[in-house]
Amino acid sequence: MNKILVKKELAAKIKLFDIHAPEIAAKTKPGHFVVLRISERGERFPLTIAGADTSEGTIRLVFNEVGKSTRELGCFSEGDEILDVVGPLGNPCEIDSFGNVLCIGGGVFAAPLHFVASALHRIGNNVITVIGARISDLLIFEDELESVSDEFHISTDDGSKGHKGLTFVKEILDQNSIGRAIAMGPVAMLKAVSEITKPYGIKTMVTLTPLMVDATGMCGCCRVSVGGETKFACVDGPEFDGHQVDWELLTSRMRTYLTDERTASLFYERLGRGD
Ligand SMILES: Cc1cc2nc3c(=O)[nH]c(=O)nc-3n(C[C@H](O)[C@H](O)[C@H](O)COP(=O)(O)OP(=O)(O)OC[C@H]3O[C@@H](n4cnc5c(N)ncnc54)[C@H](O)[C@@H]3O)c2cc1C
Ligand code: FES
């Protein structure tokens, strides 16, 4: 169970795993996530499901090696088994007929965005996709996303490929009547997209990735403020209306354990363990 059947390196520190998890694959919809634990003393950490194949009984995970747990996971090989994979968790993204849909994905989240954009495209939406990364070498899922998009754009922070930054998105909004915007990526990008779409009155759903512990709505770690109400991203989300999110609170909460995360990472680097 939870055997890694396929492992690929998509870019520096970005890995793709197809994992044999038939029970999860059977229930997965775009937007769901899983929680992994890779060793008895390891922490639980969430990853968004980037695809599910019910005939093969596999789920796809694409992750960035940012700290101890994700770096440890990145060392797993094809044939290795992951101790615990729990899911599918959270609520799926709303997949409906919106007409023109703007799908925006940042960094590693281009992969789960592909799962969402495919579903939207399949039911007849006109999908306009934008993927972004810091630099062109970190762009992933370009061909896959282009193949399910009616219009496809690339953005990099340094302008090394496609448009520089996200300001050009306003031109897309000026030229098209957009029924829904969907964004997945780092918090700063989700906030920027929400600010761009707000004056146009376009409903903008963002997938939030606050720190999570139990992912069952019990611990409160993932609480976010949306429309003035406290929500738990693991059970109430992770997709929320970006125009209602308290971005400052989210950003500051995500920095809560920065020192501990850096220490764990350093221990892992020096000693091969971080617990
Ligand atoms: C619902 C959900 C879905 C997610 N899906 C994916 C995914 O598909 N692919 C993927 O690569 N990552 C995803 N993440 C983020 C992933 O869970 C974290 O990167 C991971 O837990 C970091 O663990 P670590 O021990 O490797 O790093 P840590 O030591 O915990 O952290 C290392 C660095 O990463 C930052 N970091 C830690 N957690 C997060 C987070 N939640 N969001 C942004 N920065 C973080 C820390 O601030 C620190 O700078 C998701 C998070 C959530 C909540
Ligand atoms: S992670 Fe504990 S309530 Fe959401």
Side-chain angles (χ1 to χ4, degrees), residues 41-275:
R41 297 188 63 189
E43 66 173 353
R44 297 156 55 88
F45 63 99
L47 294 176
T48 310
I49 301 174
D53 185 330
T54 44
S55 57
E56 297 288 325
T58 56
I59 57 164
R60 174 163 290 180
L61 302 177
V62 176
F63 61 97
N64 215 344
E65 294 178 22
V66 292
K68 190 221 167 209
S69 300
T70 46
R71 283 160 75 182
E72 233 175 335
L73 181 64
C75 294
F76 279 50
S77 306
E78 285 179 3
D80 288 344
E81 287 184 13
I82 299 171
L83 182 65
D84 295 326
V85 181
V86 179
L89 297 169
N91 299 295
C93 291
E94 192 185 346
I95 303 293
D96 211 335
S97 297
F98 301 115
N100 291 324
V101 187
L102 176 65
C103 291
I104 306 194
V108 76
F109 286 89
L113 185 77
H114 172 253
F115 196 18
V116 176
S118 304
L120 290 164
H121 190 252
R122 205 176 303 122
I123 60 165
N125 286 286
N126 188 61
V127 177
I128 303 172
T129 301
V130 176
I131 57 164
R134 273 190 297 113
I135 54 170
S136 61
D137 285 354
L138 295 177
L139 287 162
I140 60 164
F141 269 65
E142 283 176 70
D143 294 343
E144 291 88 341
L145 270 161
E146 190 164 12
S147 71
V148 296
S149 304
D150 299 277
E151 202 180 310
F152 180 69
H153 303 267
I154 288 175
S155 144
T156 46
D157 291 356
D158 65 351
S160 51
K161 188 164 184 184
H163 301 266
K164 187 172 182 186
L166 283 176
T167 43
F168 79 98
V169 170
K170 285 184 191 158
E171 288 167 30
I172 299 177
L173 305 186
D174 287 336
Q175 288 160 12
N176 299 276
S177 169
I178 304 286
R180 174 67 60 99
I182 294 167
M184 301 177 111
V187 172
M189 191 213 85
L190 302 181
K191 178 172 181 265
V193 170
S194 302
E195 281 166 0
I196 292 170
T197 58
K198 196 167 185 182
Y200 294 83
I202 299 165
K203 186 154 183 182
T204 300
M205 300 306 287
V206 296
T207 295
L208 300 185
T209 55
L211 302 178
M212 290 186 180
V213 177
D214 66 346
T216 63
M218 303 290 282
C219 72
C221 179
C222 67
R223 67 184 178 275
V224 289
S225 176
V226 182
E229 285 179 38
T230 297
K231 300 279 182 192
F232 292 165
C234 64
V235 289
D236 299 323
E239 193 185 50
F240 293 103
D241 181 342
H243 298 154
Q244 305 288 324
V245 172
D246 183 336
W247 295 105
E248 284 202 10
L249 183 67
L250 177 62
T251 309
S252 73
R253 282 189 53 78
M254 287 185 71
R255 293 199 192 106
T256 311
Y257 301 107
L258 213 53
T259 312
D260 300 312
E261 288 159 353
R262 282 186 184 146
T263 308
S265 212
L266 212 62
F267 265 85
Y268 179 68
E269 238 165 64
R270 303 245 168 109
L271 304 173
R273 64 184 183 85
D275 47 2

